Amino acid sequence: MAVIETTSLTKVYKSKQAVSDLNLKVQPGEIYGFIGPNGAGKSTTIRMIMQLAKPTAGQIRLFGQDAGRPSAELRRRIGYLPSEILLYDRWSGRESLAFTARAYGLKLSETSYREQADLLDLDLDKKVKSYSLGNRKKLGLIQSLLHKPELLILDEPTSGLDPLIQRKLVGMLLEQRAEGMTIFFSTHVLNEVERLCDRVAMIREGKLLRVDDVHSLAEGRRHLFRVRFREEGDLTDRLKLREFDPEAKMENGVHLFAVEGSVGPVLERLSLRAIADLKVERPTLEQQFMRDYEGEAEPV
C-alpha cells in the first residue's frame, strides 16, 4: 500500500493551471524527491496533499485512506514543514515546541527535541522573533518530528541553512528513514536529491516529467569525453567519433563528445592515436535534469 498516492491530481487557479493530471505513488520507507524550479507546482501539490488547498480534480490517498476526509488519527501520522513557516514571535523556541507537543497529547520531555536542537545548533531559549530564516526552519523541522510521524512532508527544508547544517539535516533524515519513516522531500537543490533520495519525480509546469530511481539515474548518465591528442588537427572524422556522438567536435584543440553505455569501444578507438590528455566525467544530476527540463523529454 502506497503512503501517498495521487490520481489525476489537478489544480486550477482562475485561468492558470498550477498542477495538471499528476500521478504520484510514494512507497513506505522511502525518501521520495520532488524536484523542479520555483513555480513548477511543487508547493501547490503539497498543499493539496495536506488538504490546505482543494484539488480542482483528482484524488489523494494517504496510507490507503481518502485524504479528502482526513481523520484526527490520519493527521497524527503525518509531519509537515511548509516552505514558509509561521511561528509565534513572542514565544521562545522551547515554548513553541511545548505548545506543539501538547497539541499531540505529549509532554515535551517525552520527545527527542533536545538532541535534535543540539544537532542543528538551535538555541531554544531565544525568542522566535530573533530567529533568522534558517533557525525558523530548524525549529519547524523539530516541530514536524516531535510526534514521530510515519510520513514526513518537507517543502524546501534547507532554504536558509548553511552547508554544515544542511549536511547534518541529511544525516538526520537518513536516520529517520532507517527507523521506517517515509519522507516526501520537495526541493530545487539537485545535489540534495542525489545524496538523500531513493526515487525522484521531476515536475515541469505542473506536469510530471519523469520518475526515476536515483541510483539508476546516476548509472545511466552519459560519459563526457575531453581528449587532446599529441597529433595536431581535428581527428573527429578520422577516428569516426561521430559514430559514438553525432555532435562530436573539436574546440581549441580538444575533442569533445558524449557516450552512453559502455566506454570500452570508445577507449579502444582512441588508443589508435597518441593521447596527450584525457578526461572522462559524468554530468551531475542537476545537469541531467536541466537537459530534460529544457525540452528533450516530454511529460509522462
Side-chain angles (χ1 to χ4, degrees), residues 46-70:
I46 288 177
R47 287 177 59 81
M48 288 190 286
I49 291 173
M50 292 300 301
Q51 293 301 300
L52 298 174
K54 186 176 181 180
T56 304
Q59 184 182 45
I60 304 167
R61 298 185 70 82
L62 301 174
F63 302 101
Q65 300 181 38
D66 183 356
R69 296 186 292 274

Side-chain angles (χ1 to χ4, degrees), residues 68-79:
R69 296 186 292 274
S71 63
E73 179 185 356
L74 179 61
R75 290 185 182 278
R76 186 181 178 86
R77 299 171 74 180
I78 303 170

Side-chain angles (χ1 to χ4, degrees), residues 271-285:
S271 68
L272 297 175
R273 291 290 191 277
I275 295 174
D277 186 56
L278 170 63
K279 184 176 182 180
V280 184
E281 59 185 13
R282 287 184 171 184
T284 64
L285 180 61

Side-chain angles (χ1 to χ4, degrees), residues 92-126:
S92 68
R94 198 181 314 276
E95 289 170 326
S96 298
L97 294 177
F99 176 81
T100 303
R102 287 195 300 271
Y104 286 108
L106 299 171
K107 294 180 179 179
L108 189 57
S109 59
E110 298 172 336
T111 72
S112 302
Y113 83 97
R114 287 191 182 90
E115 296 92 326
Q116 293 165 349
D118 289 343
L119 178 66
L120 298 176
D121 193 24
L122 179 64
D123 186 345
L124 294 174
D125 293 321
K126 288 185 176 180

